[in-house]
Amino acid sequence: MAKQSLRILQVLRAPVGGLFRHVADLTRALSAKGHSVGIVVDSLANDAQTEGLLLGLEAYAALGIHRFPMPRLFGRSDLSTPFAVSALARRLDVDIMHGHGAKGGFYARLAAYGRNRAEVYYTPHGGVLHFPADKASGKLFHRIERTLMAKTSAIIFESHFAEKTYSALIGAPTCPGKVIHNGLRPDEFMPVEHRSDAADFVFVGELRALKGIFQLVEALADTRHPDGRPPNLVMAGDGPDRAELEARIAELGLGARVNLVGSKPAREVFALGRYAVVPSLAESLPYVVLEAAAAQLPLISTRVGGIPEIFGPTSDSLIPPGDAGALAATMNRMLADPDSAETEMRQRLAHIEAQFSLARMADAIEQLYRGAQ
């Protein structure tokens, strides 16, 4: 097997969220292995953290960070950006193009129709899997996926759930496919130190209905400590449903019990709460679940997407999505029996330490890349 360094171009749309975190971690790990990496991101979308995050990657992106317009759904740039990415790949003489998410995968594989020699890999990261097959948008995206499979060297699924969902919606891949779980850095397995005034529960995620935020505050209204005290909640993040969430919090009379702290790094927020809650209605393989478990917080989550793969031997504790009553009952049990919550957390920690390390993830992806050489 060839051992020479590779020239790799990572292609994604928005440089935010878990998908970007995955690309950033992979870029650093591949750079440390001696490979030259470049990044292509959207020039249209960013948030308050975007510039700092990209700046922090410059030292690891030997092939540069390049921006092209990438509309979230469809737009005029979809006719020009694939040609620009293809030209960039030729100019950089890359061995590998790796598209992440629906739009990153779209551009990377369309670029493969150009005159360049790169092998093309694709990781859905949820993306196209969130479009239902009975909707016009889903039918269109799924048809595009089936067409672009001919230009795909391999599909990397971040969970067995994603692999099964892809096959159910789009069809079994005609190219090689492999499940490679997301991984965490060694420092992320250090226990978080809670502040003395930490809340009982903490939520980290986008403030939109899909994340189960309304069921969470409704459950909080029905949650009590064994001595009758009402517990409190810190919610970190921002999103399109923030105003509606604030209205619902006021309607439930929870204004003094819910603290919305805005968008902050996950570990910083974990110090603000003793028990993490991830009540999502749909997910792929969310980093926040891995991060909370690695930070050694007892954790409540829903049985969606690849979360059972993260929970491993503790997956029986997962609850149905969208069920505020079940969520409240689990929150009450955790408050009433913290020792059991601690024991379960230790079991889960051992599982993710063994299965979800960054070194394991990067080694597996590098090996897959080299298989094309």
Side-chain angles (χ1 to χ4, degrees), residues 40-57:
V40 172
V41 296
D42 181 24
S43 61
L44 302 174
N46 55 46
D47 70 4
Q49 300 184 59
T50 298
E51 295 306 320
L53 291 170
L54 290 175
L55 184 63
L57 275 181

Side-chain angles (χ1 to χ4, degrees), residues 268-346:
E268 179 180 325
V269 179
F270 292 151
L272 305 179
R274 300 188 181 282
Y275 304 116
V277 188
V278 183
S280 299
L281 308 185
E283 288 287 359
S284 182
L285 193 80
Y287 267 105
V288 68
V289 176
L290 285 170
E291 290 168 335
Q296 303 182 30
L297 270 71
L299 178 61
I300 299 170
S301 188
T302 46
R303 183 177 292 276
V304 296
I307 293 178
E309 296 170 47
I310 300 174
F311 266 56
T314 66
S315 61
D316 286 348
S317 68
L318 292 168
I319 61 174
D323 189 336
L327 180 55
T330 305
M331 292 165 74
N332 279 320
R333 281 198 299 272
M334 191 165 278
L335 291 172
D337 190 359
D339 290 341
S340 292
E342 178 79 10
T343 298
E344 180 183 310
M345 180 272 288
R346 294 292 168 193

Side-chain angles (χ1 to χ4, degrees), residues 309-313 346-356:
E309 296 170 47
I310 300 174
F311 266 56
R346 294 292 168 193
Q347 288 180 292
R348 188 158 47 244
L349 178 64
H351 171 67
I352 66 168
E353 282 178 329
Q355 300 296 325
F356 294 88

Side-chain angles (χ1 to χ4, degrees), residues 58-340:
E58 284 185 353
Y60 306 93
L63 300 184
I65 297 174
H66 310 270
R67 302 194 191 198
F68 300 102
M70 301 181 183
R72 184 175 181 275
L73 293 176
F74 288 110
R76 188 174 302 173
S77 302
D78 289 328
L79 301 176
S80 59
T81 295
F83 293 101
V85 174
S86 183
L88 176 68
R90 289 195 304 273
R91 179 166 61 82
L92 296 176
D93 191 29
V94 300
D95 304 299
I96 303 290
M97 277 195 293
H98 189 162
H100 298 265
K103 196 48 88 73
F106 176 68
Y107 286 131
R109 290 178 293 173
L110 277 183
Y113 282 92
R115 300 185 310 276
N116 64 70
R117 65 182 184 83
E119 298 286 339
V120 182
Y121 292 80
Y122 169 48
T123 304
H125 294 283
V128 72
L129 307 182
H130 290 157
F131 290 89
D134 59 348
K135 301 292 185 182
S137 58
K139 291 178 181 177
L140 177 59
F141 278 114
H142 297 164
R143 188 178 304 120
I144 292 171
E145 281 290 323
R146 285 188 283 270
T147 300
L148 292 178
M149 214 177 290
K151 285 294 183 180
T152 310
S153 300
I155 301 177
I156 301 172
F157 298 101
E158 70 273 29
S159 66
H160 293 285
F161 164 79
E163 182 182 41
K164 291 176 184 176
T165 304
Y166 188 95
S167 294
L169 289 174
I170 295 156
T174 55
C175 62
K178 185 175 180 62
V179 175
I180 300 176
H181 286 125
N182 295 334
L184 300 180
R185 302 182 305 271
D187 61 286
E188 294 181 277
F189 287 92
M190 298 296 293
V192 71
E193 294 186 14
H194 292 106
R195 285 179 20 172
S196 59
D197 60 347
D200 297 290
F201 298 103
V202 61
F203 165 91
V204 181
E206 190 177 6
L207 299 185
R208 59 176 175 139
L210 190 68
K211 297 299 183 181
I213 55 176
F214 297 105
Q215 289 82 4
L216 175 55
V217 295
E218 288 160 9
L220 184 71
D222 292 329
T223 304
R224 293 290 183 276
H225 282 276
D227 62 6
R229 289 181 296 113
N232 51 3
L233 165 70
V234 168
M235 299 185 75
D238 212 339
D241 295 330
R242 176 167 183 149
E244 187 178 351
L245 174 65
E246 290 174 336
R248 184 60 175 145
I249 290 170
E251 182 181 349
L252 292 168
L254 298 175
R257 295 172 56 191
V258 180
N259 184 14
L260 300 176
V261 298
S263 181
K264 297 178 182 292
R267 277 188 70 89
E268 179 180 325
V269 179
F270 292 151
L272 305 179
R274 300 188 181 282
Y275 304 116
V277 188
V278 183
S280 299
L281 308 185
E283 288 287 359
S284 182
L285 193 80
Y287 267 105
V288 68
V289 176
L290 285 170
E291 290 168 335
Q296 303 182 30
L297 270 71
L299 178 61
I300 299 170
S301 188
T302 46
R303 183 177 292 276
V304 296
I307 293 178
E309 296 170 47
I310 300 174
F311 266 56
T314 66
S315 61
D316 286 348
S317 68
L318 292 168
I319 61 174
D323 189 336
L327 180 55
T330 305
M331 292 165 74
N332 279 320
R333 281 198 299 272
M334 191 165 278
L335 291 172
D337 190 359
D339 290 341
S340 292

